[in-house]
Amino acid sequence: MDFNQLVNQENGEKLRIIQEQVPGKQITMAHVIASPDPVVYRKLGLDPGVDYQRAAIGILTMCPSEVSVIAGDLAIKTANIELGFIDRFSGTLIITGRIAEVESAIQAILKYTKENLGFTVCGITRT
């Protein structure tokens, strides 16, 4: 049904409905991949040649997407991690490092966005 062709039953006039999509302030995924296989690094465009014996990949998605830049900055200031990927258009952040460091960075991001920016945040998941 085309919303622009709806008819108002009371007076027979066309009813115009304008739809807007308003993004929320939220982190929808915060996941740690512990000891990933080198093929995962390669598929993400990361370098598996570095010593990743006790390494992890952290993946976050957030909205509005621009906050991924703030999250990346927080991550490198909080823990000894490497930025793998930041996409300010999709809201994706990928970080790498030791498991404890990646988890620490993600916890700092979740805490800051919740307490300082008023975000709704998810819990951290891990595989």
Side-chain angles (χ1 to χ4, degrees):
M1 179 182 296
D2 183 0
F3 285 112
N4 290 322
Q5 295 176 2
L6 287 178
V7 176
N8 185 326
Q9 297 298 321
E10 292 179 21
N11 56 17
E13 295 178 8
K14 286 188 178 182
L15 177 67
R16 179 177 289 242
I17 297 175
I18 299 171
Q19 294 179 316
E20 293 182 14
Q21 186 176 20
V22 180
K25 293 175 8 179
Q26 60 188 340
I27 295 185
T28 55
M29 182 176 63
H31 187 77
V32 177
I33 302 172
S35 303
D37 191 274
V39 71
V40 176
Y41 286 97
R42 285 194 297 276
K43 293 295 183 179
L44 290 173
L46 304 171
D47 182 11
V50 180
D51 180 21
Y52 289 118
Q53 184 177 357
R54 284 188 269 158
I57 299 173
I59 304 171
L60 293 100
T61 56
M62 51 205 81
C63 183
S65 57
E66 296 84 3
V67 81
S68 61
V69 177
I70 297 168
D73 180 59
L74 274 168
I76 59 173
K77 289 178 177 175
T78 301
N80 185 22
I81 56 93
E82 297 289 329
L83 292 177
F85 179 74
I86 298 177
D87 188 348
R88 69 179 193 269
F89 300 109
S90 70
T92 301
L93 173 66
I94 297 176
I95 59 176
T96 61
R98 296 201 176 268
I99 296 168
E101 297 289 335
V102 168
E103 287 180 342
S104 177
I106 292 174
Q107 287 170 353
I109 291 166
L110 295 178
K111 181 178 179 186
Y112 180 83
T113 54
K114 182 177 182 177
E115 294 178 4
N116 296 85
L117 300 178
F119 272 49
T120 300
V121 300
C122 65
I124 299 174
T125 56
R126 182 174 168 175
T127 55

